[in-house]
Amino acid sequence: MQDAIQAKSALISVFNKEGLAPIVTKMHELGITLYSTGGTAAFIEAQGVPVLQVEDLTSYPSILGGRVKTLHPKVFGGILNRRSNENDQEELAQYSIPHLDIVLVDLYPFEDTVKSGASEADIIEKIDIGGISLIRAAAKNYKDVLCVSSVDDYDAFLALLESKNGKTELTDRKQFAANAFRVSSHYDTHIFNFFEEDNDALKLSYNDGKVLRYGENPHQKGTFFGDFDEVFFKHHGKALSYNNLLDVDAAVQLMAEFKDDAPTFAILKHNNACGLATRDNISQAYTDALAGDPVSAFGGVLIANTTIDPPTAEKINTLFCEVVIAPAFEANALKVLKQKKNRILLDLKSYPQPSTLVRSCLNGHLVQERDGITDDKSMLDEVTERKATAQEIDDLLFASKIAKHTKSNTIVLAKNGQLFAAGTGQTSRVDALNQSIEKAKHFGFDLTGAVMASDAFFPFPDCVEIANKAGIVAVIQPGGSIKDQLSIDYCNGNNLAMVMTGVRHFKH
């Protein structure tokens, strides 16, 4: 093994040829012999650069429609031989195998093919065999070989060629090898997840993590792994923080429940809705959402299910808020909202949401399916003598959507498509209810005729009794307690309507 090695030969086999021309031109100038095959060889020749066909080296043609091209001892021997090992060098001489000092590969785009919705047959054909084998071999032998494993490394490799005139040092080769194993690991993870059906193994892989200013608190480091630009178009504002991203995620998940509803506006703080309303226009929806808790709205995350117009923007502009999200903003609305230089303005795109949720737990991770059930009329079991009116049903389902996305234990109070108050994250359901009643009254709401949603069942009738005395007239809950009948009996004795859904919506 040598620290500094002057490259004399290179094997090139790439899918993405963008940016390849200056690389092969530079290698030719440096006197590096190039080996390639198929479309890559044709591309190199088109640049006026001489190239040796792998088929001539191996004395074996590309077969099976190109599935087998580089898988040959004369190729892998040239990569895997140890330059300092005498036996290895004797065998290379015996079998006329040339050294390959550089291996440059860009894999078939398997991940992008899956995302495109291509057929299974097309996806399978994008599982790279030769390329991934070349990467692993070259990276394993980094002490003697430089491995360039992705189009993302073309620029760095070209810079290395230009700065060191084709010479590579051990630190260079090891750095490129580390990235090569990152590429191969990421690639294999996505192939595994495409085939995995039993959910008995967890493999996650994200490239290009974005380092945040800090984590949940300034003394904690934080990084976001994901493709933010796939989800949003950012018009304006400062970089999003760890806490911003959590609130934005909560806002997006909540508003997805109202995606096809009339204009709806929500205001969130610490992942919970503090205001939400559905109205005939988005301006009024914002006004009534803000009325739910104008104090907590300060510094919150705002989201709409429809385009934000100038009248709504003028109202929002009087509030200090961190983030505003919508499917779109009218041009004059953007002009108004951009008056605050740090305010983050995001267009929400349509994107494929992950079907599973992952969180760290003890010395491992917990994985679960996303809660994809939204309570609707078909699920309602009217268990009381008094049946809910049509308006009450609408309000119950409205409140239930909010409860599903509020930290447990929660109680949500609503009326006429407006969130009056929510008790959030309480250790007792009674405490959650009392918190919501107190908060609603504090902000001037009359609870007479309002409805109540609970994320889980009532083990005792105390909650329906407290709600009744506060003016609540209808209740939605999952049911399932062995003492459900006690709550039903109280409702029947006090003219309350209650519906059960059979679906619990805990959120921890």
Side-chain angles (χ1 to χ4, degrees):
M1 181 271 293
Q2 307 171 56
D3 186 356
I5 296 176
Q6 182 67 48
K8 297 178 181 179
S9 60
L11 172 64
I12 306 176
S13 179
V14 302
F15 179 85
N16 192 332
K17 299 168 184 64
E18 185 176 347
L20 183 61
I23 291 174
V24 297
T25 300
K26 185 64 181 178
M27 285 198 285
H28 177 54
E29 291 175 4
L30 295 170
I32 298 173
T33 300
L34 304 185
Y35 294 87
S36 190
T37 186
T40 305
F43 177 87
I44 295 171
E45 289 175 340
Q47 311 310 308
V49 174
V51 59
L52 299 178
Q53 295 285 340
V54 168
E55 290 88 338
D56 294 334
L57 169 64
T58 63
S59 300
Y60 218 95
S62 173
I63 62 173
L64 307 181
R67 279 190 165 197
V68 180
K69 291 181 286 191
T70 56
L71 296 169
H72 193 280
K74 281 201 170 184
V75 173
F76 282 85
I79 297 170
L80 285 166
N81 74 89
R82 293 155 290 188
R83 307 313 196 249
S84 60
N85 186 296
E86 290 184 9
N87 289 335
D88 284 6
Q89 299 313 304
E90 289 174 1
E91 289 187 358
L92 257 64
Q94 179 182 354
Y95 297 108
S96 301
I97 300 175
H99 289 119
L100 293 172
D101 303 315
I102 296 171
V103 173
L104 194 160
V105 175
D106 182 65
L107 299 170
Y108 291 160
F110 177 85
E111 187 178 353
D112 289 342
T113 304
V114 173
K115 286 183 178 179
S116 73
S119 68
E120 181 173 313
D122 287 340
I123 290 170
I124 297 302
E125 285 305 309
K126 287 300 185 288
I127 298 177
D128 205 310
I129 304 300
I132 203 76
S133 302
L134 292 171
I135 287 174
R136 293 180 65 85
K140 175 179 179 176
N141 203 26
Y142 71 89
K143 291 184 178 180
D144 295 309
V145 179
L146 181 81
C147 179
V148 182
S149 55
S150 167
V151 64
D152 296 332
D153 290 335
Y154 286 5
D155 288 344
F157 176 55
L158 180 58
L160 181 65
L161 286 174
E162 292 174 338
S163 65
K164 297 185 178 180
N165 293 317
K167 185 176 289 187
T168 67
E169 296 176 5
L170 183 61
T171 52
D172 301 322
R173 299 191 296 274
K174 191 170 185 177
Q175 180 180 349
F176 274 85
N179 191 55
F181 283 118
R182 183 183 73 161
V183 168
S184 65
S185 172
H186 181 79
Y187 197 77
D188 286 341
T189 294
H190 281 275
I191 294 172
F192 168 80
N193 287 332
F194 174 74
F195 283 97
E196 167 66 357
E197 294 179 351
D198 296 333
N199 297 316
D200 59 355
L202 173 65
K203 294 186 183 296
L204 301 175
S205 180
Y206 292 92
N207 288 325
D208 302 322
K210 179 177 175 55
V211 177
L212 306 172
R213 294 198 305 275
Y214 52 80
E216 201 161 8
N217 298 290
H219 62 275
Q220 296 170 269
K221 294 180 180 179
T223 307
F224 172 69
F225 291 95
D227 187 355
F228 185 84
D229 294 335
E230 181 185 34
V231 184
F232 297 106
F233 175 79
K234 184 179 178 184
H235 289 281
H236 181 75
K238 63 183 180 180
L240 280 87
S241 69
Y242 182 97
N243 292 330
N244 285 155
L245 288 167
L246 288 176
D247 282 332
V248 164
D249 179 67
V252 169
Q253 303 307 323
L254 172 61
M255 193 52 70
E257 305 285 348
F258 300 90
K259 180 180 179 181
D260 299 319
D261 291 5
T264 300
F265 207 105
I267 304 172
L268 289 88
K269 196 74 172 285
H270 296 296
N271 305 164
N272 296 301
C274 57
L276 196 151
T278 298
R279 292 293 182 261
D280 291 334
N281 61 77
I282 198 63
S283 178
Q284 190 60 49
Y286 168 75
T287 297
D288 291 347
L290 181 64
D293 187 345
V295 175
S296 295
F298 182 86
V301 169
L302 282 56
I303 187 167
N305 71 345
T306 191
T307 300
I308 291 181
D309 55 21
T312 308
E314 292 287 357
K315 293 180 180 179
I316 294 172
N317 202 39
T318 65
L319 173 72
F320 169 72
C321 58
E322 293 273 345
V323 186
V324 185
I325 308 166
F329 296 80
E330 291 187 20
N332 287 335
L334 277 176
K335 193 175 297 184
V336 171
L337 294 172
K338 285 181 178 180
Q339 291 174 13
K340 303 292 172 61
K341 68 176 183 178
N342 288 329
R343 181 184 285 145
I344 300 163
L345 306 176
L346 303 174
D347 277 358
L348 176 61
K349 303 177 184 178
S350 176
Y351 72 101
Q353 291 196 9
S355 59
T356 55
L357 300 176
V358 181
R359 64 191 296 180
S360 60
C361 180
L362 300 175
N363 62 347
H365 294 80
L366 285 171
V367 181
Q368 67 169 344
E369 293 179 337
R370 185 178 296 278
D371 183 355
I373 296 178
T374 298
D375 296 342
D376 60 35
K377 293 179 181 179
S378 69
M379 299 167 58
L380 303 184
D381 182 10
E382 299 182 287
V383 296
T384 52
E385 293 171 0
R386 187 178 87 76
K387 307 306 177 187
T389 66
Q391 180 60 54
E392 289 168 353
I393 291 292
D394 288 344
D395 283 337
L396 288 169
L397 293 174
F398 172 89
S400 177
K401 291 178 180 179
I402 301 171
K404 174 184 171 182
H405 293 273
T406 305
K407 189 171 179 63
S408 300
N409 288 308
T410 184
I411 293 289
V412 171
L413 306 180
K415 183 179 178 181
N416 295 329
Q418 182 180 20
L419 170 63
F420 277 9
T424 62
Q426 299 302 300
T427 53
S428 143
R429 200 156 300 282
V430 171
D431 286 347
L433 174 57
N434 286 329
Q435 181 191 59
S436 63
I437 292 172
E438 180 181 352
K439 187 174 181 180
K441 290 180 177 179
H442 176 76
F443 289 112
F445 290 109
D446 180 3
L447 290 174
T448 303
V451 305
M452 172 174 75
S454 174
D455 61 335
F457 64 63
F458 300 117
F460 304 102
D462 45 7
C463 280
V464 290
E465 181 177 355
I466 295 169
N468 176 54
K469 291 177 179 178
I472 301 298
V473 297
V475 179
I476 185 170
Q477 57 130 330
S481 169
I482 60 173
K483 297 182 179 180
D484 275 346
Q485 194 58 47
L486 294 178
S487 294
I488 294 171
D489 290 344
Y490 182 88
C491 288
N492 285 337
N494 292 273
N495 200 36
L496 271 72
M498 178 185 285
V499 297
M500 295 184 180
T501 65
V503 177
R504 188 181 73 185
H505 292 295
F506 269 165
K507 186 169 185 280
H508 290 99

XYZ file of all heavy atoms in Angstrom, residues 459-493:
253
model
N -64.159 6.156 31.488
C -64.293 5.023 32.418
C -65.400 5.227 33.448
O -65.897 4.272 34.041
C -62.913 4.958 33.073
C -62.377 6.349 32.975
C -62.929 6.905 31.695
N -65.790 6.491 33.634
C -66.852 6.834 34.586
C -67.725 7.925 33.959
O -67.310 8.591 33.003
C -66.252 7.334 35.912
C -65.298 6.367 36.549
C -63.928 6.564 36.455
C -65.763 5.242 37.214
C -63.041 5.674 37.023
C -64.890 4.339 37.790
C -63.522 4.555 37.687
N -68.896 8.174 34.511
C -69.781 9.185 33.931
C -69.455 10.613 34.350
O -70.182 11.540 34.001
C -71.161 8.767 34.445
C -70.885 8.097 35.756
C -69.575 7.388 35.573
N -68.355 10.811 35.082
C -68.065 12.146 35.602
C -67.876 13.182 34.496
O -68.305 14.330 34.623
C -66.846 12.126 36.527
C -65.665 11.317 35.985
O -65.737 10.865 34.829
O -64.670 11.132 36.724
N -67.244 12.771 33.378
C -66.991 13.743 32.310
C -68.287 14.217 31.650
O -68.453 15.414 31.384
C -66.064 13.134 31.259
S -64.310 13.169 31.748
N -69.198 13.311 31.375
C -70.446 13.744 30.741
C -71.281 14.590 31.712
O -72.013 15.501 31.292
C -71.265 12.544 30.207
C -70.583 11.924 29.003
C -71.507 11.495 31.283
N -71.146 14.319 32.979
C -71.869 15.124 33.968
C -71.310 16.543 34.013
O -72.072 17.528 33.990
C -71.758 14.478 35.348
C -72.501 15.247 36.442
C -72.446 14.570 37.799
O -71.905 13.445 37.886
O -72.941 15.174 38.770
N -69.985 16.675 34.051
C -69.362 17.996 34.058
C -69.692 18.742 32.769
O -70.010 19.943 32.780
C -67.830 17.862 34.217
C -67.486 17.277 35.588
C -67.138 19.210 34.029
C -66.029 16.862 35.730
N -69.630 18.040 31.650
C -69.916 18.662 30.357
C -71.353 19.157 30.298
O -71.627 20.268 29.806
C -69.651 17.671 29.233
N -72.286 18.348 30.769
C -73.703 18.718 30.761
C -73.936 19.986 31.560
O -74.645 20.907 31.106
C -74.520 17.566 31.338
C -75.991 17.916 31.461
O -76.624 18.329 30.500
N -76.529 17.745 32.665
N -73.315 20.078 32.712
C -73.502 21.253 33.565
C -72.891 22.507 32.942
O -73.297 23.625 33.271
C -72.904 20.989 34.942
C -73.690 19.933 35.724
C -73.050 19.635 37.063
C -73.866 18.593 37.831
N -73.227 18.236 39.134
N -71.916 22.309 32.018
C -71.298 23.458 31.343
C -72.077 23.893 30.109
O -71.771 24.932 29.524
C -69.864 23.116 30.955
N -73.090 23.102 29.688
C -73.905 23.467 28.540
C -73.710 22.586 27.321
O -74.355 22.793 26.287
N -72.831 21.588 27.417
C -72.587 20.683 26.298
C -73.839 19.848 26.027
O -74.480 19.352 26.956
C -71.396 19.740 26.610
C -70.134 20.563 26.892
C -71.159 18.751 25.477
C -69.654 21.407 25.763
N -74.162 19.649 24.727
C -75.390 18.934 24.387
C -75.158 17.618 23.643
O -76.072 16.809 23.498
C -76.328 19.814 23.544
C -76.780 21.042 24.347
C -75.651 20.239 22.237
N -73.926 17.399 23.157
C -73.655 16.174 22.411
C -72.190 15.776 22.599
O -71.309 16.632 22.758
C -73.970 16.345 20.929
N -71.967 14.465 22.562
C -70.635 13.928 22.875
C -70.259 12.873 21.841
O -71.097 12.060 21.425
C -70.625 13.281 24.283
C -69.247 12.704 24.598
C -71.065 14.284 25.346
N -68.977 12.881 21.424
C -68.439 11.819 20.588
C -67.245 11.215 21.303
O -66.393 11.934 21.833
C -68.050 12.342 19.182
C -67.607 11.177 18.290
C -66.984 13.419 19.255
C -67.439 11.583 16.812
N -67.196 9.887 21.331
C -66.105 9.180 21.989
C -66.002 7.780 21.397
O -66.939 7.294 20.754
C -66.343 9.122 23.504
C -67.662 8.461 23.907
C -67.464 7.384 24.970
O -66.418 6.737 25.024
N -68.474 7.202 25.804
N -64.872 7.098 21.597
C -64.719 5.773 20.998
C -65.613 4.716 21.635
O -66.050 3.787 20.955
C -63.245 5.434 21.239
C -62.591 6.705 21.631
C -63.638 7.560 22.236
N -65.883 4.844 22.945
C -66.541 3.753 23.647
C -65.542 2.628 23.902
O -64.380 2.690 23.512
N -66.008 1.599 24.560
C -65.137 0.458 24.820
C -64.847 0.218 26.284
O -64.209 -0.774 26.649
N -65.332 1.106 27.139
C -65.168 0.898 28.575
C -66.180 -0.137 29.064
O -67.303 -0.229 28.549
C -65.389 2.219 29.319
O -65.491 2.002 30.718
N -65.782 -0.898 30.065
C -66.739 -1.852 30.657
C -67.860 -1.113 31.384
O -68.879 -1.712 31.732
C -66.035 -2.837 31.616
C -65.346 -2.076 32.760
C -65.033 -3.703 30.862
C -64.771 -3.003 33.833
N -67.649 0.199 31.575
C -68.667 1.006 32.246
C -69.289 2.036 31.303
O -69.792 3.073 31.753
C -68.064 1.697 33.470
C -67.580 0.711 34.545
C -67.041 1.439 35.772
C -66.590 0.446 36.842
N -66.065 1.127 38.046
N -69.277 1.736 30.015
C -69.905 2.648 29.044
C -71.338 2.975 29.422
O -71.810 4.107 29.245
C -69.895 2.023 27.638
C -68.597 2.260 26.881
O -67.804 3.120 27.317
O -68.376 1.577 25.857
N -72.036 1.986 29.922
C -73.463 2.163 30.195
C -73.727 3.260 31.215
O -74.757 3.942 31.159
C -74.094 0.854 30.662
C -75.624 0.850 30.639
C -76.198 1.139 29.253
O -75.752 0.554 28.263
N -77.179 2.022 29.184
N -72.771 3.466 32.140
C -72.960 4.513 33.140
C -73.027 5.886 32.487
O -73.863 6.721 32.846
C -71.816 4.474 34.161
C -71.729 3.224 35.051
C -70.513 3.312 35.963
C -73.013 3.070 35.876
N -72.147 6.118 31.499
C -72.170 7.394 30.787
C -73.416 7.511 29.920
O -74.025 8.586 29.817
C -70.916 7.539 29.916
O -69.755 7.634 30.710
N -73.819 6.397 29.304
C -75.037 6.397 28.478
C -76.253 6.712 29.335
O -77.115 7.526 28.953
C -75.204 5.040 27.773
C -74.070 4.828 26.763
C -76.558 4.958 27.061
C -74.031 3.432 26.174
N -76.324 6.085 30.502
C -77.460 6.323 31.402
C -77.543 7.781 31.822
O -78.638 8.364 31.880
C -77.348 5.431 32.641
C -77.591 3.958 32.329
O -78.138 3.663 31.235
O -77.215 3.101 33.161
N -76.384 8.379 32.127
C -76.406 9.790 32.516
C -76.916 10.640 31.362
O -77.736 11.553 31.574
C -75.021 10.271 32.951
C -75.057 11.716 33.389
C -75.344 12.052 34.705
C -74.894 12.763 32.468
C -75.446 13.379 35.106
C -74.988 14.089 32.852
C -75.269 14.388 34.172
O -75.387 15.708 34.559
N -76.433 10.365 30.164
C -76.880 11.140 29.002
C -78.392 10.996 28.801
O -79.099 11.980 28.549
C -76.147 10.677 27.748
S -74.395 11.164 27.695
N -78.885 9.777 28.929
C -80.318 9.544 28.754
C -81.138 10.277 29.809
O -82.243 10.759 29.542
C -80.623 8.046 28.807
C -80.193 7.340 27.532
O -80.078 7.963 26.479
N -79.965 6.040 27.632
N -80.577 10.383 31.007
C -81.303 11.056 32.078
C -81.224 12.560 32.008
O -81.918 13.256 32.756
